[in-house]
Amino acid sequence: MSDLDRVRIGLVSISDRASSGAYEDQGIPALQAWLGQALRNPIDWQTRLIPDVEAGISATLIELVDEQRCDLVLTTGGTGPAPRDVTPEATLAIAHKVMPGFGEQMRQISLTFVPTAILSRQVAVIRGKALVINLPGQPKAITETLAGLPNAQPPVHGIFAAVPYCVDLIGGPYIETDAAVCKAFRPKSAQRPAP
């Protein structure tokens, strides 16, 4: 029996072609693999594979937060400038608060690799007691964005280091990470004693 809080995580892969079966989705498996290593908490997964339709994306995010009571929802895909890329618009449409620092840092990480990172439009928002974050579509980029580049000079912080404390602040469960994968940052006053 674990003393760690259970965490409900929604994973949404947004792709016309993967949702139609034209190719196999890689986003959800990449997210589950990374989160499964990074989090010490028991996780209840809610996964959705949907096409690039703005109303459908918004409806899925609302369902995961309001009905399934997810604490954290991560999307992958649909954040570029192409006409069918509407994930940021669909995410902003369901927001109670916008968290621009996540998008800024994701682009900063990606710019280390490719100049086209400035074309990425990922956003993060809070809805109720849930944090919703748009991630890139490629598995390698997902990992880099979440974990950062700890061995770079200077090191580049991944976005996930800030996620547990953000979830604390909005009333969610206490998320604990494996520091070897991703060291969560919390002020001393917000840290629970180790079990």
Side-chain angles (χ1 to χ4, degrees):
M1 182 69 187
S2 173
D3 292 336
L4 302 171
D5 294 354
R6 289 196 82 79
V7 182
R8 292 183 71 77
I9 299 179
L11 303 177
V12 185
S13 188
I14 299 155
S15 165
D16 286 335
R17 289 179 295 168
S19 65
S20 71
Y23 62 78
E24 198 169 334
D25 172 59
Q26 297 183 328
I28 289 171
L31 283 166
Q32 285 184 311
W34 191 87
L35 291 163
Q37 290 181 321
L39 268 59
R40 296 181 55 227
N41 304 66
I43 302 170
D44 294 326
W45 302 105
Q46 290 285 331
T47 61
R48 305 286 186 273
L49 176 56
I50 60 174
D52 292 281
V53 176
E54 187 174 341
I57 298 166
S58 290
T60 298
L61 297 176
I62 290 170
E63 181 242 338
L64 288 171
V65 174
D66 297 5
E67 295 169 34
Q68 301 300 329
R69 300 281 178 228
C70 288
D71 307 299
L72 176 64
V73 178
L74 302 176
T75 74
T76 174
T79 60
R84 295 287 296 169
D85 291 335
V86 293
T87 302
E89 287 74 19
T91 304
L92 291 168
I94 62 101
H96 294 154
K97 289 182 179 170
V98 179
M99 302 295 289
F102 284 101
E104 292 163 8
Q105 184 63 9
M106 284 190 266
R107 283 180 281 280
Q108 189 63 45
I109 293 165
S110 298
L111 275 167
T112 309
F113 299 100
V114 289
T116 52
I118 57 173
L119 305 180
S120 164
R121 302 182 308 114
Q122 292 111 325
V123 299
V125 305
I126 290 167
R127 179 179 177 87
K129 291 185 175 183
L131 176 61
V132 180
I133 305 174
N134 301 157
L135 293 169
Q138 296 300 319
K140 182 173 180 286
I142 290 171
T143 299
E144 289 162 353
T145 299
L146 292 170
L149 308 166
N151 299 322
Q153 289 305 323
V156 180
H157 293 290
I159 63 158
F160 205 85
V163 167
Y165 185 48
C166 182
V167 172
D168 292 351
L169 291 171
I170 60 177
Y174 191 85
I175 298 174
E176 298 197 31
T177 61
D178 179 342
V181 180
C182 175
K183 185 167 175 27
F185 177 82
R186 286 179 170 93
K188 282 199 170 54
S189 60
Q191 293 174 16
R192 284 187 189 171

